[in-house]
Amino acid sequence: MDLGRVMWALVLVLLTPGFVHGGDIVHEDDEAPKVPGCSNDFVLVKVQTWINNTEDNEFVGVGARFGPTIVSKEKRANRTRLTLSDPPDCCTAPTKKLAGDVLLVHRGNCKFTTKAKVAEAAGASAILIINNRKELYKMVCDRNETDLNIKIPAVMLPQDAGASLESSLKHGFSVSVQLYSPDRPLVDTAEVFLWLMAIGTILCASYWSAWSAREALIEHEKLLKDAPDELLNMENTGSSGVVDINTTSAILFVVIASCFLILLYKLMSFWFVELLVVLFCIGGVEGLQTCLVALLSRWFKRAGESYIKVPFFGAVSYLTLAVSPFCIVFAVVWAVYRRVSFAWIGQDILGIALIITVLQIVRVPNLKVGTVLLSCAFLYDIFWVFISKSWFHESVMIVVARGDRTAEDGVPMLLKIPRLFDPWGGYSIIGFGDILLPGLLIAFSLRYDWAAKKSLRAGYFLWSMVAYGSGLLITYVALNLMDGHGQPALLYIVPFTLGTFLALGRKRGELTNLWTQGEPPRVCPHVQPAK
């Protein structure tokens, strides 16, 4: 993997660098303050339907600011007949009284609170309001409406869900609905597995990187020891296939990632996501192939060291030729079937392989470069998750990561795990950058520890891993405290990881060496000690 492909891979993973998401269930809105009688949280509501006494589709709506709280337990929710409002907007009294039915009405022509009051006066037990678009809309009260005493729940449905129910009623079918808003579990098992997955990925990549660096160092020291004097002045080009980034490229990565993120946001469409899938598959094949070849070469050393010339690719090992078809087929099968329920497994395998490969090839040479890179990513993350709302009226990072305005379930540059024990389902996700960017610094810490022959406790790697795990854990705590709203993970991870590294380096008196050299002092075997 040459420098150009490394740059491309880094930009690919930087597209979603700092984002974890758990799914929004409870919504706050500072522009719609709570007042007496209009103080509910905006909660998602499940609307289970029955057509002619046969269980049918389950839709998701959003509860209103006003009215009673919707029950959270399915067993406590009543199954009630649904009736179509006449007039459809329910701004005036219906033509006939209702016997506790749920009333289906259209949005528009009067206030939401007016519709609810009219429906309640007519005897309805609840009101379902069909929105005029597919998105959900928060139903609030006017600022001059106080002391409201609406006693029936109001739920807004997206346009397609409401149209489906309205069509069934108009065709004379008997329709019943059940309304409830289940709570999420206190601990999301998907987040636990994502946490373990992120820790494990960095752990594997760091040890691979440190092992490769140690083998290269041994070879280099052997060469210096046995080399004739005329070769000592030759420039050391470093480990083959490894790219050390500098401060300029660290800043450039984040700038390029910002440009790509804006491009994704502006051009977000089905076909654009398809292009991202192709790019992800190419990167995934590269990563999976590299990981498998490195693993299998321990047992098939001869095949890994025997090469053949291939047009356009140059010298390729026989082991690589044997592994490549499997990697390509794996990526293609995932791309074709990525919408099935278990496709997340293939996406995670390809993503982890890509991250590990980049962490093994791209290296932070010293703490200065690591600090610049993580600090830029820290600001980048906060800006595109939070501050971009003031410029674009929505969080650019969240919109891109979720794949809004497309038929896809988000962009592929994410690790995701389904929330199996969550009544709302969905996925918990984490951006590649939340693993890769801190991982560059953590891998550097292990390489330094091994070069300095430090023990685990006396080194930097253990404490960097603990700091990263703690930062990611705090991210998930914040995610749950904010009811599933997407969080910029690097907001929490960078201070923990970078702060720990800097504090330890200063305490041990090694900060200057870590900052500038990035490796312990070594004595050249050709230099004779002074007498």
Side-chain angles (χ1 to χ4, degrees):
M1 185 180 283
D2 58 23
L3 179 59
R5 286 149 76 188
V6 168
M7 291 280 289
W8 166 80
L10 275 177
V11 170
L12 184 66
V13 297
L14 277 170
L15 287 175
T16 51
F19 177 73
V20 294
H21 180 63
D24 300 345
I25 295 301
V26 181
H27 303 261
E28 289 296 343
D29 190 344
D30 295 334
E31 296 179 1
K34 297 179 179 180
V35 296
C38 191
S39 58
N40 296 337
D41 290 328
F42 295 107
V43 297
L44 295 182
V45 180
K46 290 193 174 217
V47 182
Q48 179 61 59
T49 65
W50 285 263
I51 307 294
N52 291 335
N53 292 321
T54 301
E55 188 170 338
D56 202 66
N57 295 324
E58 181 181 83
F59 302 112
V60 175
V62 63
R65 188 69 112 182
F66 50 86
T69 303
I70 297 171
V71 297
S72 60
K73 302 291 184 181
E74 182 180 4
K75 61 183 179 181
R76 296 181 182 175
N78 296 323
R79 177 177 162 182
T80 310
R81 189 178 69 176
L82 183 68
T83 300
L84 189 60
S85 176
D86 184 17
D89 57 15
C90 196
C91 291
T92 56
T95 55
K96 59 180 180 180
K97 286 288 184 179
L98 307 171
D101 295 352
V102 175
L103 196 61
L104 183 67
V105 309
H106 283 236
R107 178 183 174 182
N109 300 329
C110 61
K111 296 185 291 187
F112 295 122
T113 51
T114 301
K115 296 177 187 291
K117 288 177 181 178
V118 170
E120 181 182 356
S125 60
I127 180 172
L128 296 181
I129 301 176
I130 305 173
N131 197 16
N132 53 15
R133 60 184 67 182
K134 290 184 178 181
E135 294 79 13
L136 293 173
Y137 183 85
K138 296 175 182 178
M139 295 186 289
V140 299
C141 312
D142 287 347
R143 294 185 179 274
N144 59 357
E145 290 183 297
T146 58
D147 297 321
L148 291 171
N149 190 27
I150 297 173
K151 296 181 180 178
I152 63 171
V155 177
M156 173 163 284
L157 290 176
Q159 186 179 43
D160 51 353
S164 175
L165 292 175
E166 186 177 18
S167 176
S168 297
L169 290 171
K170 287 184 176 179
H171 282 85
F173 298 139
S174 173
V175 182
S176 300
V177 295
Q178 185 183 43
L179 311 179
Y180 63 104
S181 180
D183 297 324
R184 282 199 185 281
L186 184 61
V187 178
D188 183 2
T189 55
E191 292 172 359
V192 175
F193 282 108
L194 273 180
W195 186 87
L196 293 172
M197 191 183 296
I199 295 291
T201 300
I202 291 180
L203 194 66
C204 292
S206 297
Y207 271 96
W208 186 9
S209 177
W211 184 273
S212 300
R214 184 162 69 177
E215 288 185 335
L217 180 60
I218 292 172
E219 290 293 326
H220 182 63
E221 289 180 345
K222 183 179 178 182
L223 178 64
L224 285 179
K225 184 177 180 180
D226 301 334
D229 293 339
E230 60 267 19
L231 295 180
L232 294 180
N233 294 325
M234 292 182 64
E235 183 181 358
N236 177 26
T237 56
S239 301
S240 176
V242 173
V243 178
D244 285 339
I245 60 176
N246 53 37
T247 52
T248 303
S249 59
I251 297 171
L252 188 61
F253 287 149
V254 178
V255 172
I256 294 174
S258 295
C259 295
F260 268 86
L261 191 65
I262 296 174
L263 187 66
L264 277 173
Y265 176 74
K266 293 296 184 181
L267 301 180
M268 182 64 69
S269 65
F270 171 80
W271 294 110
F272 205 77
V273 173
E274 292 294 312
L275 176 60
L276 290 179
V277 168
V278 172
L279 294 176
F280 173 72
C281 286
I282 295 173
V285 168
E286 286 269 6
L288 189 59
Q289 173 186 286
T290 304
C291 291
L292 288 177
V293 168
L295 183 64
L296 294 175
S297 61
R298 304 292 177 181
W299 293 278
F300 303 96
K301 190 172 183 179
R302 185 174 178 180
E305 294 176 350
S306 301
Y307 293 86
I308 184 174
K309 283 191 176 182
V310 178
F312 304 108
F313 294 98
V316 178
S317 70
Y318 285 99
L319 186 56
T320 300
L321 284 178
V323 167
S324 295
F326 167 77
C327 298
I328 294 171
V329 170
F330 186 91
V332 170
V333 169
W334 170 80
V336 173
Y337 294 100
R338 68 183 183 277
R339 295 181 182 87
V340 300
S341 59
F342 53 84
W344 61 273
I345 300 174
Q347 179 172 331
D348 288 352
I349 291 174
L350 292 171
I352 289 173
L354 175 60
I355 293 171
I356 290 177
T357 300
V358 173
L359 284 176
Q360 196 274 332
I361 294 173
V362 182
R363 296 182 182 178
V364 169
N366 52 50
L367 189 54
K368 177 183 177 181
V369 174
T371 300
V372 171
L373 179 64
L374 287 181
S375 298
C376 290
F378 174 80
L379 298 174
Y380 167 96
D381 215 7
I382 295 173
F383 179 84
W384 290 113
V385 173
F386 289 143
I387 303 177
S388 62
K389 291 181 181 179
S390 61
W391 288 12
F392 299 91
H393 307 294
E394 57 188 348
S395 173
V396 172
M397 183 77 76
I398 293 177
V399 169
V400 170
R402 290 189 311 206
D404 293 0
R405 310 181 207 137
T406 72
E408 299 287 335
D409 187 19
V411 295
M413 288 79 71
L414 302 163
L415 299 186
K416 57 195 292 189
I417 293 181
R419 297 190 289 265
L420 298 176
F421 303 103
D422 190 323
W424 290 100
Y427 293 89
S428 289
I429 61 177
I430 182 171
F432 284 179
D434 298 331
I435 303 172
L436 180 110
L437 295 176
L440 288 170
L441 185 66
I442 295 172
F444 162 73
S445 71
L446 185 59
R447 291 195 303 272
Y448 185 89
D449 288 352
W450 282 17
K453 295 181 173 57
K454 289 180 176 288
S455 66
L456 194 61
R457 291 187 62 184
Y460 295 92
F461 174 70
L462 173 63
W463 308 113
S464 296
M465 285 295 299
V466 170
Y468 174 78
S470 301
L472 188 57
L473 182 63
I474 295 298
T475 303
Y476 285 119
V477 171
L479 182 71
N480 285 280
L481 289 176
M482 298 184 183
D483 300 301
H485 291 264
Q487 292 294 300
L490 295 180
L491 171 65
Y492 310 95
I493 293 173
V494 169
F496 271 83
T497 308
L498 188 58
T500 299
F501 210 137
L502 292 170
L504 278 176
R506 176 165 184 160
K507 181 180 179 181
R508 296 169 177 175
E510 299 174 333
L511 185 57
T512 301
N513 184 56
L514 285 166
W515 187 265
T516 57
Q517 300 299 320
E519 59 183 15
R522 296 201 307 267
V523 178
C524 179
H526 286 266
V527 177
Q528 299 296 325
K531 294 183 180 180

